[in-house]
Amino acid sequence: VHQPSASRIGRENADPDVMADLMDGRAQRAPEDPARYRHGTEGPDDMPAHIRTALTQTHLSLPVTDGRMDLGIWQGIWLLEHRAQAQRRTLSLHYVGV
């Protein structure tokens, strides 16, 4: 992800409670409270988005077997948007293989 306020992660994807718990934990660690931060140029969700990105990943390596992503049975790939409003995002893929 090219932007500093979104991230990619690979996580358990079978139980929707995982996503709900992840979002709750994310909000607890970096709440949208302008009084907590010095930086807020782009709004009250700006600095929390930067912190949330720093706590996750902006890149992801995945194994590929026979031309298909080789994920575990419960795994999925998530694009996490850390801003309050939807944003246009650009992904770059880099495939290294035989």
Side-chain angles (χ1 to χ4, degrees):
V1 178
H2 295 262
Q3 294 77 17
S5 57
S7 51
R8 286 179 282 215
I9 60 172
R11 292 289 179 263
E12 202 253 84
N13 199 38
D15 184 346
D17 286 342
V18 172
M19 175 65 90
D21 288 341
L22 181 64
M23 295 301 106
D24 290 347
R26 177 184 84 146
Q28 291 170 2
R29 284 166 185 77
E32 290 183 17
D33 178 1
R36 295 177 64 118
Y37 310 107
R38 287 178 287 276
H39 176 73
T41 305
E42 296 179 39
D45 65 340
D46 190 25
M47 193 60 221
H50 292 305
I51 293 170
R52 292 168 182 173
T53 302
L55 295 173
T56 53
Q57 302 168 342
T58 57
H59 66 282
L60 188 61
S61 295
L62 300 168
V64 175
T65 303
D66 296 326
R68 298 179 56 102
M69 288 187 296
D70 192 3
L71 300 175
I73 191 167
W74 307 112
Q75 290 180 309
I77 301 169
W78 297 358
L79 172 64
L80 297 178
E81 173 57 64
H82 301 300
R83 300 297 301 263
Q85 300 297 317
Q87 305 289 318
R88 183 177 177 91
R89 299 297 185 195
T90 302
L91 296 176
S92 293
L93 302 177
H94 180 83
Y95 180 79
V96 177
V98 185

